[in-house]
Structures are given as C-alpha cells and as structure tokens.
Amino acid sequence: MDPRGRRSATLARLASPVLLAVTALLAALFLLPFVSPVVSGARWDEFILAFDAQRLLDGQVPYRDFFNFIPPGAFYVLAGLFTLVGRGSLTAARYAGLAVALANGALLLALLERAGWRRAQAAGMALLYPMALFPFWPVFSHHWLVHAACFAFLLLLPPGGVRPVLQSALLGLLAGLAGMVLQTEGVYLALLGGAVILLACPGHEGARRLAAFGLGAAGAIAAWLGPLVALGAGREFVRDVILWPGRNYSRPGSDNARLLLEDVPDRLQALWGGALQPSQGWPHGLAVLAGTALYASLLAAVAALPVLAAWALARALRRKR
C-alpha cells in the first residue's frame, strides 16, 4: 500500500472510534433531561426497587421483612449504588438507569458487529435501544439490568473458544445472574445455553461443558440466595419470587396476560392522545416520537424474523446438499 493509502486507512481507523464516542455523548446529552422528575414524572414501578433498596440499607431482609416479587439482584445493585452516594435517591437511581441503558447500547453494538454488521448499521440499530426505550421508561429498571446479562451472554456464544469449559461456566454464571434479576430471562438463558452446548458438542465433551454451565449458574444463584437463606428468608423467597408470580402475575384479566404486541394500538393511542396539547411541552413530544419509533421497530422485527429465519434455514439446507 502506498503512503497515501496507509495514511487514509490510519485516519479511517482513528475516525471510527472518535465518531462512536461523539455519537454516544450526543445520545447521553439527549437522554439526560429525561432523568429529571420535572420532565418525566415519578413512575409507580420505580419505587418498587428504590424504596426496597433503601430498606436493605436500613437493615431489613428481603422477603422476610417485606414483600417483593422481583428477585433480589436489582435492588441489591441499587442499594450498593445508594451506599456510594451516601443515601437513597430516585435521582441517583435514574442516573444509574441511564448508564445501564447506554451500556446496553454498547453491548448491542459489539454483538451486532460480531454478527457481521457494518459499524454504521450496527451503531444505528444499537442507538435505537437507549434512544427509544429510555425516554419511554426513564427509571432504574430490572429490565434494563437483565438485558445487560442477556447481551453479554450472547456475546459469549457459541461456547467453543480457547477454554470451552471455562466459557461454558461463564455462560452459566450469566444465566444465573439473569435469573436473580428477572426470573423468566434466567430460564430462557438456561434453556438456550444448554441447547447450544449440546448441539455444538454432543457426547462426553458436551456433558463436561454442560456440567460447567450448570455449576456456573448454581454459583451465581447461591451467591444471591445463600445470605437470604442464612438470614431466614429462604422459604419467603420461594413464596414471593416463584409461587406468587406464577399464581397472580399473568392471571386472566391482567395486562401481563395479553398476547405479544396485543396492546400496541392502545399504547399508541395513549402516546398520541396528548401529543397535540400545548400544556404537555416538548419533552412529551420527544417521548411520543421515541415510543412510536420503538413500536414501529417491534412490529418490523416481528414481521422480519420469520422471513429471516426461513431464509437462514434454506441456506443451511442448501449447504448440506
């Protein structure tokens, strides 16, 4: 390569991370106002985590001293943050939620680039995560936190690196951590990890990796539940986190019992209902646009996934002929 070509290639390599950093900074500046309770009023669900995180700092034991159907991971993380800032604070919790949303965007960018997306395309899709989701729900959420575990889990797949047994154990650790933040995602990652390990490496080696995966998951769960059991909250944990959601969370008539995307028309109507009212101000307009973009992307993804899956299956079958 001639000197001019090498210089151009060097500038291109330097420009890419700088452009990413500038884009991330602009995204953070755009999202920062949504942290304010003046722009985004207090949400009922954020108190479920923030108030119970403060209870931990006051010496109470989850499930034994108070009810919560959410696993302990999210409010233990938030309690740790409150310890750093000196006291419980919804503002600190919201800043933490923004940081997690931006971190998830970075993880999604890495995941898409590893899947073969060009950087510009991957960055555009990764930006959709914080730009559309955080204005819609600008709080510290166990959902944002478990997505970090899910994206990290997918980045480690498939388990066939230099140390596949250690990699399988790390996958199990992430699945266990996810389960201690949100029950369903822990189950999904456990099933996905086990299936991928057995399909990628059947036989004795697959059994070794699967055992490592199980040990990693068990270790993560034990790290969270061990102290609770020692403090006399083991039975209450089962009652509140496993039995209660199974009986009540998705019972008929509940919003959580709806089919996937069934409530999109109602939510869009609620979003746009006050969009034209001057009293709502420009922050509400931004939230409306972000929410609409989110639902449009979800509908597009639901339509595209079966087509892409069929196309990938057809390619795989052609290669086997």
Side-chain angles (χ1 to χ4, degrees), residues 3-211:
R4 184 174 299 177
R6 284 197 297 270
R7 189 160 49 249
S8 298
T10 302
L11 288 174
R13 286 197 299 270
L14 291 174
S16 184
V18 170
L19 183 59
L20 276 177
V22 171
T23 303
L25 178 61
L26 291 175
L29 291 175
F30 169 79
L31 294 171
L32 202 57
F34 292 97
V35 172
S36 169
V38 177
V39 176
S40 302
R43 311 297 174 93
W44 175 263
D45 282 7
E46 67 182 313
F47 291 94
I48 296 175
L49 293 177
F51 188 68
D52 285 355
Q54 181 59 49
R55 282 176 157 176
L56 296 184
L57 299 182
D58 293 339
Q60 296 186 39
V61 177
Y63 317 115
R64 189 194 72 183
D65 298 331
F66 60 87
F67 169 82
N68 199 318
F69 61 88
I70 298 172
F75 43 86
Y76 268 112
V77 169
L78 199 52
L81 172 68
F82 288 167
T83 301
L84 291 177
V85 300
R87 62 186 179 88
S89 164
L90 284 180
T91 301
R94 286 193 169 194
Y95 277 116
L98 174 58
V100 173
L102 291 171
N104 283 341
L107 287 170
L108 183 56
L109 171 64
L111 185 60
L112 293 173
E113 284 192 319
R114 203 196 69 170
W117 288 44
R118 294 180 180 178
R119 171 154 288 186
Q121 296 170 331
M125 181 59 71
L127 270 176
L128 184 63
Y129 183 99
M131 298 293 280
L133 288 179
F134 189 76
F136 184 72
W137 199 244
V139 303
F140 181 85
S141 170
H142 52 300
H143 294 285
W144 305 156
L145 199 59
V146 80
H147 289 171
C150 291
F151 290 150
F153 183 94
L154 293 174
L155 276 170
L156 273 177
L157 286 176
V162 178
R163 297 180 177 179
V165 174
L166 176 61
Q167 190 176 2
S168 299
L170 290 175
L171 285 169
L173 181 71
L174 287 168
L177 289 174
M180 289 294 98
V181 176
L182 192 58
Q183 301 95 316
T184 49
E185 271 67 5
V187 174
Y188 298 153
L189 293 188
L191 294 175
L192 175 62
V196 169
I197 289 172
L198 291 177
L199 289 172
C201 188
H204 178 68
E205 180 62 22
R208 287 181 64 239
R209 297 184 189 181
L210 192 61

